[in-house]
């Protein structure tokens, strides 16, 4: 059983739409990462957070420690945002687990 | 901008053959990770190095997989013999010092075992 659950698995949106991708985990964590993986495999780290909210450009990541839940939001989505978005959590025992990813397709 | 280098980018091999992947982390990064990513799934840690020492290899199938980072810089991951189920993307990442720091990923090596 994957201890990091992401939803939805696949998401198709029209350009300009507001996107939300969710991540939930099971026990206490030290940090949570949001990663972006483009076709071809390259992975880029978007955010690392342990509380609250972070913003970078059109991307916003939030985390609710009590609810063991994080969301990644994309405002004014663009076709170049099409990628797989992966949530990874660092558990308190220094074990890192990755979600299966959310495949986002933004159509022009 | 400094990047994690991996080679080869693609590898096709027959089952029972040996295969090796190479990774050169960002200069100054003490921690190096090898991950395996099966299509449609998230990455899974195979081995983590801190300098030249193995920190975690609990998920590494040691009967056929080996990894080394002899001088604490670049690293090699080997599979011998390769099996059909080893077909996957093999990703290398590095960070300054452990999971508390941002990980930087290489482009990956896509392995196909026939």
């Amino acid at each position: 059983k994957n201890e990091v659950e992401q939803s939805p698995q696949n998401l198709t949106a029209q350009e300009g739409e507001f996107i939300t991708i969710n991540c939930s985990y099971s026990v206490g964590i030290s940090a949570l990462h949001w990663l972006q993986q483009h076709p071809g495999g390259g992975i880029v780290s978007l955010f690392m957070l342990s509380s609250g909210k972070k913003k970078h450009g059109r991307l916003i990541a939030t985390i609710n420690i009590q609810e063991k839940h994080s969301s990644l939001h994309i405002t004014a989505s663009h076709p170049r945002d099409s990628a797989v978005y992966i949530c990874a959590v660092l558990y308190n025992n220094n074990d890192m687990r990755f979600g299966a990813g959310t495949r986002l397709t933004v159509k022009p | 901008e400094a990047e994690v280098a991996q080679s080869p980018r693609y590898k096709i091999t027959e089952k029972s053959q040996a295969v090796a992947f190479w990774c050169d982390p960002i200069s100054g990064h003490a921690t190096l990770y090898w991950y395996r990513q099966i299509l449609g799934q998230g990455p899974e840690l195979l081995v983590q190095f801190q300098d030249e020492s193995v920190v975690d290899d609990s998920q590494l199938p040691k009967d056929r997989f080996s990894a080394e980072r002899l001088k604490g810089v670049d690293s090699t991951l080997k599979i011998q013999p390769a099996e059909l189920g080893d077909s996957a993307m093999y990703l290398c990442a590095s960070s300054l010092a452990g999971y508390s720091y941002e990980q930087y990923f290489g482009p990956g090596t896509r392995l196909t075992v026939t």
Side-chain angles (χ1 to χ4, degrees):
Chain A
K1 179 185 174 184
N2 195 336
E3 299 155 350
V4 180
E5 300 291 337
Q6 286 188 237
S7 64
Q9 285 187 323
N10 295 282
L11 180 57
T12 300
Q14 288 297 130
E15 183 173 356
E17 286 185 1
F18 181 82
I19 304 290
T20 296
I21 299 170
N22 298 297
C23 175
S24 59
Y25 50 92
S26 53
V27 294
I29 65 170
S30 300
L32 183 144
H33 298 252
W34 280 103
L35 310 170
Q36 181 190 55
Q37 186 170 31
H38 281 284
I43 293 179
V44 174
S45 176
L46 298 175
F47 296 103
M48 182 172 73
L49 65 166
S50 55
S51 65
K53 175 180 173 178
K54 286 191 176 181
K55 184 177 189 294
H56 185 251
R58 296 181 294 106
L59 303 178
I60 304 166
T62 64
I63 187 168
N64 185 318
I65 298 297
Q66 286 73 29
E67 295 186 2
K68 297 183 176 59
H69 179 269
S70 176
S71 293
L72 176 68
H73 305 286
I74 305 175
T75 62
S77 59
H78 189 277
R80 64 175 175 265
D81 297 325
S82 298
V84 175
Y85 292 84
I86 300 172
C87 169
V89 301
L90 177 60
Y91 286 106
N92 288 334
N93 63 355
N94 211 42
D95 184 20
M96 179 164 253
R97 299 285 171 155
F98 293 75
T102 295
R103 182 175 297 278
L104 171 66
T105 303
V106 181
K107 295 184 175 181
Chain B
E1 184 176 307
E3 294 179 342
V4 176
Q6 286 189 250
S7 66
R9 292 292 308 278
Y10 303 93
K11 180 71 177 178
I12 300 174
T13 191
E14 295 182 345
K15 63 181 181 180
S16 80
Q17 295 299 304
V19 63
F21 313 130
W22 177 80
C23 172
D24 190 15
I26 292 174
S27 178
H29 281 194
T31 309
L32 185 147
Y33 312 83
W34 281 104
Y35 293 97
R36 177 172 60 186
Q37 185 179 25
I38 295 169
L39 193 63
Q41 299 181 20
E44 174 192 32
L45 180 71
L46 292 174
V47 62
Q48 177 186 354
F49 289 94
Q50 181 70 21
D51 299 312
E52 68 276 7
S53 300
V54 173
V55 173
D56 183 357
D57 63 356
S58 57
Q59 301 300 313
L60 187 71
K62 298 182 187 65
D63 57 333
R64 297 185 300 107
F65 286 65
S66 64
E68 60 184 17
R69 193 184 183 199
L70 293 176
K71 296 183 179 179
V73 182
D74 58 338
S75 175
T76 302
L77 178 70
K78 296 179 181 177
I79 308 175
Q80 182 174 19
E83 295 181 353
L84 296 177
D86 296 331
S87 295
M89 175 75 84
Y90 290 82
L91 294 160
C92 178
S94 70
S95 71
L96 203 56
Y99 283 132
S100 297
Y101 292 85
E102 183 177 356
Q103 290 188 45
Y104 294 82
F105 287 81
T109 296
R110 185 171 295 282
L111 173 67
T112 302
V113 182
T114 62

